[in-house]
Amino acid sequence: MDFINCNGVNIHYKYTSGDGERIFLFINSLGTDLRIWDGVADELKSHGSVLRFDKMGHGLSEVSGRDYTIGDYAADIISLMDALKIPKVILVGLSIGGVISLYMGIHHPDRIEKLVISNSAPKVGTPESWDTRISKVQTEGIASIADGILKVWFSEDFRANRTAELAGYRQMLVNSNLPGYVKACKALKVNDLSADVKNIKVPTLFISGSEDGSVSPATVKEAAGKVPGAELIEIAGVGHIPCAEKPALFAEILLKFVGNTAELSLYDLGMKTRRSVLGDQHVDLAEANKTDFDSDFQAYITNSAWGTIWSRPGLTKRERSMITIAVLTALKLDHELAMHIKATKNTGATPEDVKEVLMHTGVYAGVPVTNNAMKIAKEIFSKE
């Protein structure tokens, strides 16, 4: 076993060399340890090296004598990377590990090649919910919440058919260090990175689980909309810990995301953004229908609208989506308006967002055009 003292705390880690120059660094969730990444690490052996560790107060790592902030957890990662002489990593964080990873993306982007946020968001839970949990575990122990936690950690299918693994993960949770668990809860209670994630410039992927009862797919989608250019993938049939339920698929998603490290051309960047907003089906149909007559115009749109404007970091996709809907409403461009309202399922703009945009547009562009836009939006949302 390997240990390094990071900022006065003895940290347990496992560093596995693999083929290639890439280094994947994984941060585990609350109440787990580095073993949740075992299956993913096995899948990545031929693609790079893997660094896993137990954050302070988890697994075999020591507990600090003081309360920790999310920034303190990040400082331990920097200390660990420095000690191992690792300049840059592909950083993958789950739950509180995702919160720590977002903090790293904001404050230490020079140490990150690409960023993967799994089942997490800039703010997780409420102060009240964390106070309730802290009080419960301090008075009754972590075992008192274990069964409820397992229901959000894993899908119904996993709980029904992989009972031996489920029992093992229950033991991992129940055996968690209580002071370390509580310190992590306190760090999450006061954390809120919502206003800062817009400053993340490294390529970012968000992953959610369709059956995650802790950080819902909708919450992850909203978070992805706040990070400029972030991609989003929802894994079907998994809960809060998809790396444990479907490690091969999780690794496949990682490798697809990190596979193209070359700088994209303006056209390729535009096409990537266009697909992320409008969806593959729409873009594939548009590409199939273009002819020699309009191919230059289609390339112009992809380069200018999608590559130059929609891919800029200054606004989120959600914000650009809302602005576009307002402009198209005012210009009475019904076909384009319908297309962009349908695209809100990819941009993170909610029906409530669209309603507020149209209410606002009605004041400045007039009631008749907004009434028409309302009808279009109602019809589209009624079918979703």
Side-chain angles (χ1 to χ4, degrees):
M1 291 186 288
D2 296 307
F3 296 88
I4 287 179
N5 190 283
C6 298
N7 303 308
V9 176
N10 210 32
I11 296 295
H12 172 234
Y13 72 96
K14 187 171 184 178
Y15 189 21
T16 307
S17 297
D19 298 334
E21 297 181 357
R22 288 196 180 99
I23 300 174
F24 296 86
L25 194 162
F26 294 94
I27 314 175
N28 56 295
S29 55
L30 178 64
T32 67
D33 59 44
L34 59 78
R35 290 173 292 180
I36 65 171
W37 302 107
D38 283 352
V40 177
D42 287 342
E43 296 288 335
L44 296 177
K45 287 178 181 176
S46 61
H47 300 279
S49 299
V50 173
L51 173 59
R52 292 170 284 160
F53 73 103
D54 294 329
K55 63 183 173 293
M56 186 280 297
H58 286 69
L60 299 181
S61 293
E62 287 183 337
V63 180
S64 170
R66 59 184 174 83
D67 282 344
Y68 252 42
T69 65
I70 295 300
D72 291 326
Y73 288 109
D76 286 349
I77 294 172
I78 296 299
S79 179
L80 179 63
M81 290 174 64
D82 288 345
L84 296 174
K85 296 181 170 54
I86 298 174
K88 186 173 284 194
V89 296
I90 295 164
L91 187 60
V92 186
L94 170 68
S95 194
I96 185 176
V99 176
I100 298 166
S101 297
L102 287 170
Y103 184 96
M104 289 280 292
I106 296 165
H107 296 282
H108 304 285
D110 57 312
R111 307 304 295 269
I112 302 171
E113 180 183 338
K114 290 195 175 184
L115 186 62
V116 180
I117 308 300
S118 180
N119 303 73
S120 191
K123 180 176 175 59
V124 175
T126 65
E128 294 76 19
S129 67
W130 289 116
D131 279 338
T132 299
R133 184 180 299 197
I134 290 168
S135 176
K136 179 81 170 175
V137 299
Q138 284 182 326
T139 56
E140 301 178 38
I142 296 176
S144 67
I145 65 170
D147 292 337
I149 293 295
L150 291 174
K151 288 181 180 180
V152 303
W153 271 10
F154 298 108
S155 66
E156 183 178 353
D157 179 73
F158 184 98
R159 299 195 309 273
N161 298 305
R162 295 165 67 176
T163 54
E165 291 174 77
L166 186 70
Y169 281 107
R170 190 182 192 280
Q171 284 301 109
M172 180 186 290
L173 172 62
V174 170
N175 290 333
S176 294
N177 182 288
L178 180 57
Y181 189 93
V182 169
K183 289 177 189 292
C185 290
K186 289 180 177 179
L188 287 169
K189 173 186 172 181
V190 299
N191 167 77
D192 189 353
L193 302 175
S194 302
D196 299 319
V197 292
K198 66 178 182 296
N199 298 317
I200 293 177
K201 298 297 190 293
V202 297
T204 303
L205 169 67
F206 280 81
I207 297 174
S208 66
S210 65
E211 296 185 38
D212 188 345
S214 179
V215 183
S216 70
T219 300
V220 178
K221 183 178 181 180
E222 181 182 2
K226 295 178 180 179
V227 177
E231 299 181 33
L232 172 66
I233 290 179
E234 179 180 317
I235 302 178
V238 300
H240 190 57
I241 311 182
C243 58
E245 288 203 60
K246 295 186 178 181
L249 177 57
F250 195 95
E252 180 184 330
I253 290 170
L254 288 185
L255 292 173
K256 184 176 180 181
F257 176 62
V258 305
N260 182 16
T261 57
E263 189 71 25
L264 294 176
S265 68
L266 182 61
Y267 180 86
D268 289 338
L269 176 62
M271 186 59 74
K272 182 178 180 180
T273 301
R274 184 181 176 191
R275 288 183 178 279
S276 72
V277 172
L278 300 180
D280 288 334
Q281 184 177 2
H282 175 92
V283 176
D284 287 343
L285 181 61
E287 288 293 289
N289 288 335
K290 75 180 182 182
T291 66
D292 289 342
F293 182 78
D294 69 340
S295 61
D296 288 343
F297 181 70
Q298 291 295 325
Y300 165 73
I301 293 172
T302 302
N303 283 324
S304 59
W306 297 107
T308 301
I309 301 302
W310 271 88
S311 299
R312 286 172 60 84
L315 296 172
T316 65
K317 288 178 183 175
R318 171 176 170 270
E319 291 166 338
R320 293 191 187 279
S321 178
M322 294 166 69
I323 292 170
T324 302
I325 288 169
V327 173
L328 294 174
T329 296
L331 294 176
K332 306 178 187 178
L333 299 175
D334 292 356
H335 176 74
E336 292 283 323
L337 174 63
M339 180 179 73
H340 278 275
I341 291 176
K342 291 176 182 177
T344 56
K345 65 179 182 292
N346 301 320
T347 64
T350 65
E352 186 67 23
D353 290 332
V354 174
K355 182 181 81 172
E356 291 303 320
V357 166
L358 295 181
M359 292 288 290
H360 194 84
T361 306
V363 174
Y364 294 94
V367 171
V369 293
T370 303
N371 186 49
N372 182 60
M374 282 282 188
K375 291 179 181 177
I376 294 171
K378 280 175 61 179
E379 182 178 358
I380 291 170
F381 290 138
S382 69
K383 296 178 180 178
E384 294 184 352

